[in-house]
Amino acid sequence: MKVAVVCETLPDERRVALVPDAVPRLAKAGLTIGVETGAGDAAGFPDDAYRDAGAEVGTDVLDGAGVLLAVQPPAPEQVDRLAEGALVVSFLPAPRELHLIAAIRDSGRTALAMELIPRISRAQSMDALSSQALVAGYRCAIIAAERLPRFFPMSMTAAGNVPPAKVLVVGAGVAGLQAIATARRLGAVVKAYDVRTAAAEEVRSVGADFIDLDLPALDGAAGYAREMNEERARLQRERLTPHVAAADAVITTAAVPGRPAPVVVTREMVAAMRPGAVVVDLAAEQGGNVEGSQPGREVMIGNARVWGGRNVPSQMPGQASQLYATNLTNLLLLMTEDGSVRPDLDDEIVAGCCVVHAGEVRHEPTRDLLAAKEA
């Protein structure tokens, strides 16, 4: 069976779905790999590297392919070039991609969404949300250090001592923990807050102090936080305000799956920060943890510089692609038998990430959204 890897079409997407190192693993399973010319260039993987690994490289790799691998959702015209009953695997955010999902449904093809991989131990090697959050968390800490007009580490000199920067991280999932660990390595003093019970121990394990706001925990399914009501949100902002004001840099990474990002830091809280302070909002694309942040832009609120994240993993495309390619490869090999990819919907991993199969939208929230649009 032929597996196709295409050039990403979004202007700010530099990742590629498969890297050369992954090709031999798939070829050993009996799959033929076709890579569109130039697909890996932006991530640092030239066409010759794919050829050397055993892949076919050209402009017509989509034609008749049984599997399409991508980072961002492909265009409907790309899907149309695949074989009947073909499989599409990519990130597939339903609210933005209902037209594509309907097209895949109507064509009888199958679509798996990498953001829906279940959070279970057997699926850890396929968990693309976690792998890309790792990259984003690291990058956020570097961005904060670049933009803060002072040292991160403490410096002791003949001219006097320079105290370390104070960094506050809000949200201690994979991205938040990586941001904490990176800021610590750069020498900052780090505090962190999260609404989940397990977060306190995780925060301390990477060397930061956990902030206890004396509020009930909000543990949700699969290790995520659940949505809070407005009264709890008000109390949280009120009690978090002095910690924001005391920080030189604030990094926010809080998210609730399937919903807009919660507003954790208001304009007033940012305006109370000292001159030169920096705020990095990783959740800006999902509505923002910081009131007034804008994805892909820097804005000034009071005396603080607010940086809104936009496709942050793509800013480190090489390693982000390597991690994502490993996730994809492990998922593909789970479904491969005798040189063919056959999704087994009795497998909880495949069933959990399957959006469309054989003319049916199987993912209930997506099915509801599509039904409402088509009503």
Side-chain angles (χ1 to χ4, degrees), residues 127-303:
D127 186 353
L129 279 182
S130 291
S131 74
Q132 301 308 289
L134 183 78
V135 178
Y138 172 85
R139 181 67 181 145
C140 280
I142 299 300
I143 289 166
E146 287 176 342
R147 283 158 174 74
L148 188 67
R150 55 159 298 157
F151 293 151
F152 253 44
M154 179 178 70
S155 295
M156 302 177 67
T157 76
N161 297 337
V162 179
K166 298 176 182 177
V167 175
L168 170 64
V169 177
V170 180
V174 174
L177 291 172
Q178 182 63 16
I180 292 167
T182 303
R184 287 274 299 150
R185 292 187 197 107
L186 293 172
V189 173
V190 185
K191 293 183 178 181
Y193 174 70
D194 194 286
V195 299
R196 296 169 299 118
T197 304
E201 183 177 348
E202 293 168 350
V203 163
R204 296 183 185 110
S205 74
V206 289
D209 292 330
F210 184 78
I211 297 172
D212 186 355
L213 299 183
D214 194 25
L215 292 169
L218 292 175
D219 295 285
Y224 289 105
R226 58 184 170 86
E227 198 171 20
M228 70 181 75
N229 60 40
E230 182 52 41
E231 176 59 18
R232 192 199 183 284
R234 184 190 65 79
L235 287 171
Q236 178 177 290
R237 290 192 290 265
E238 180 181 292
R239 297 177 188 183
L240 201 56
T241 292
H243 298 283
V244 172
D248 298 300
V250 173
I251 300 170
T252 63
T253 69
V256 178
R259 297 186 180 275
V263 176
V264 181
V265 179
T266 64
R267 284 180 175 272
E268 291 75 19
M269 293 165 72
V270 175
M273 298 178 73
R274 60 175 64 96
V278 171
V279 179
V280 175
D281 186 359
L282 180 60
E285 280 185 297
Q286 288 76 47
N289 293 147
V290 180
E291 188 180 23
S293 71
Q294 299 179 33
R297 294 189 60 190
E298 287 187 8
V299 297
M300 295 297 296
I301 297 178
N303 292 309

Side-chain angles (χ1 to χ4, degrees), residues 21 24-25 27 32 110 119 138 155 171 228 231 235 250 281 319 341 371 373 375:
D21 286 349
R25 288 186 64 197
T32 299
T110 297
R119 285 274 175 108
Y138 172 85
S155 295
M228 70 181 75
E231 176 59 18
L235 287 171
V250 173
D281 186 359
Q319 288 179 309
V341 179
K373 180 182 179 183

Side-chain angles (χ1 to χ4, degrees), residues 26-116:
L26 296 176
K28 187 177 180 180
L31 300 173
T32 299
I33 312 302
V35 179
E36 190 172 8
T37 302
D41 286 350
F45 303 107
D47 291 344
D48 285 344
Y50 287 101
R51 292 190 184 97
D52 292 344
E56 301 172 2
V57 179
T59 57
D60 58 353
V61 297
L62 273 172
D63 297 332
V67 180
L68 168 58
L69 302 181
V71 180
Q72 301 291 345
E77 53 267 27
Q78 291 177 310
V79 175
D80 289 341
R81 295 170 59 186
L82 300 172
E84 291 185 8
L87 172 67
V88 177
V89 190
S90 70
F91 284 108
L92 192 59
R96 299 203 313 260
E97 301 296 336
L98 291 177
H99 176 68
L100 173 62
I101 291 167
I104 295 173
R105 176 200 62 191
D106 295 343
S107 72
R109 296 182 173 95
T110 297
L112 305 185
M114 291 303 290
E115 71 270 24
L116 297 179

Side-chain angles (χ1 to χ4, degrees), residues 112-113 115-118 344-345 347-355 362-363:
L112 305 185
E115 71 270 24
L116 297 179
I117 293 289
D344 178 8
L345 296 179
D347 185 292
E348 62 181 326
I349 296 174
V350 179
C353 66
C354 183
V355 178
R362 296 177 56 91
H363 184 244

